[in-house]
Amino acid sequence: MKFFIDTANLAQIKEANDFGILDGVTTNPSLMAKEGITGEENILKHYVDICNIVEGDVSAEVISTDFDGIIREGEALAKLHKNIVVKVPMIKDGIKAIKYFSKKGIKTNCTLVFSAGQAILAAKAGATYISPFLGRLDDISFDGIELIKQIVHIFRVQNYQTQILAASIRSPLHIVKCAEAGADVITSPLDSILALLKHPLTDIGLEKFIADHNKGKKISE
Ligand code: G3P
């Protein structure tokens, strides 16, 4: 399972990249706004800055909701860097655009996926990735992990090549459950990735190993 970071924060992207486990980045307009990145020129520059940090796919989202606008924006984004993946919303014109981009060899990430039916349509159109938002489903009392399991099953049975990119991750347990379910990729905030490191017995065990090593040193001195 690949690990993407879901942020537009350059410091966090650098930290995850230095950690050595990062395979890519996803962003969205809300994450860009959170970092104070506004205006077309600044947003495009920020995508290039992200691509220069990470060797892996970087999702950049279109704002248009009509076919011509999505194509215009998507082609401009794809020209920015070879690793840009055009993030397209799950709407009718979005599916048409994904088909168009797929024929042109431009990578796409179909975003705002909340059902298996939507996932099937995006796969049929040739999306490189689909992004089911599991945390937002959990928020409204639907089981997000169950959706990931259902889509994994369908894509295996149907031999769809589209990668399942589990998004809207809220906890380290979400990451573990996605791995168990067979997601191809998770995209997560840095804190949930780093939380995977934590276990109290690891901390206690390490403290004891170091203390015992130091005792041994004192005896031999
Ligand atoms: O990038 C899309 C998705 O991961 C957003 O997550 O936490 O806003 O539901 P969240």
Side-chain angles (χ1 to χ4, degrees):
M1 187 172 78
K2 285 186 265 186
F3 273 47
F4 289 1
I5 187 167
D6 195 27
T7 186
N9 182 293
L10 295 182
Q12 290 187 10
I13 292 169
K14 277 185 196 137
E15 185 179 340
N17 196 52
D18 289 348
F19 188 32
I21 48 78
L22 195 64
D23 301 299
V25 180
T26 54
T27 62
N28 63 40
S30 306
L31 294 171
M32 293 296 262
K34 193 174 162 195
E35 300 307 319
I37 315 295
T38 53
E40 200 187 331
E41 207 176 308
N42 292 334
I43 290 172
L44 297 183
K45 183 187 171 300
H46 203 73
Y47 287 137
V48 175
D49 290 344
I50 293 173
C51 290
N52 287 335
I53 298 171
V54 182
E55 187 45 60
D57 284 349
V58 174
S59 287
E61 188 157 342
V62 299
I63 305 301
S64 300
T65 52
D66 65 292
F67 179 77
D68 291 340
I70 295 172
I71 298 304
R72 192 175 56 250
E73 269 190 72
E75 287 184 333
L77 289 169
K79 278 188 194 135
L80 288 175
H81 193 278
K82 67 177 173 52
N83 290 345
I84 288 284
V85 175
V86 180
K87 205 170 179 189
V88 180
M90 166 42 74
I91 53 175
K92 195 172 179 186
D93 279 24
I95 291 296
K96 278 172 64 180
I98 286 169
K99 182 75 189 181
Y100 172 92
F101 288 135
S102 157
K103 281 188 183 156
K104 289 197 77 175
I106 293 174
K107 286 188 277 188
T108 53
N109 174 359
C110 185
T111 189
L112 292 165
V113 168
F114 292 95
S115 75
Q118 292 177 327
I120 291 168
L121 270 182
K124 283 288 292 173
T128 314
Y129 299 99
I130 51 139
S131 289
F133 279 27
L134 65 99
R136 292 192 194 184
L137 279 171
D138 287 358
D139 289 345
I140 58 159
S141 299
F142 282 81
D143 190 337
I145 293 293
E146 281 305 312
L147 177 64
I148 302 293
K149 285 184 192 165
Q150 188 185 18
I151 298 172
V152 167
H153 175 73
I154 291 168
F155 281 22
R156 287 196 183 143
V157 167
Q158 297 297 333
N159 198 27
Y160 289 143
Q161 298 307 301
T162 298
Q163 295 181 59
I164 301 159
L165 194 172
S168 188
I169 296 274
R170 301 281 171 75
S171 68
L173 188 59
H174 269 159
I175 299 175
V176 172
K177 292 282 181 190
C178 283
E180 201 176 4
D184 299 291
V185 190
I186 55 95
T187 189
S188 168
L190 183 61
D191 58 355
S192 294
I193 295 174
L194 294 179
L196 291 170
L197 287 165
K198 290 288 164 201
H199 196 288
L201 292 179
T202 304
D203 298 340
I204 293 165
L206 183 60
E207 203 178 318
K208 182 158 174 22
F209 284 155
I210 291 169
D212 287 346
H213 171 80
N214 288 339
K215 267 191 244 162
K217 255 182 28 187
K218 275 183 197 144
I219 291 164
S220 66
E221 272 165 12

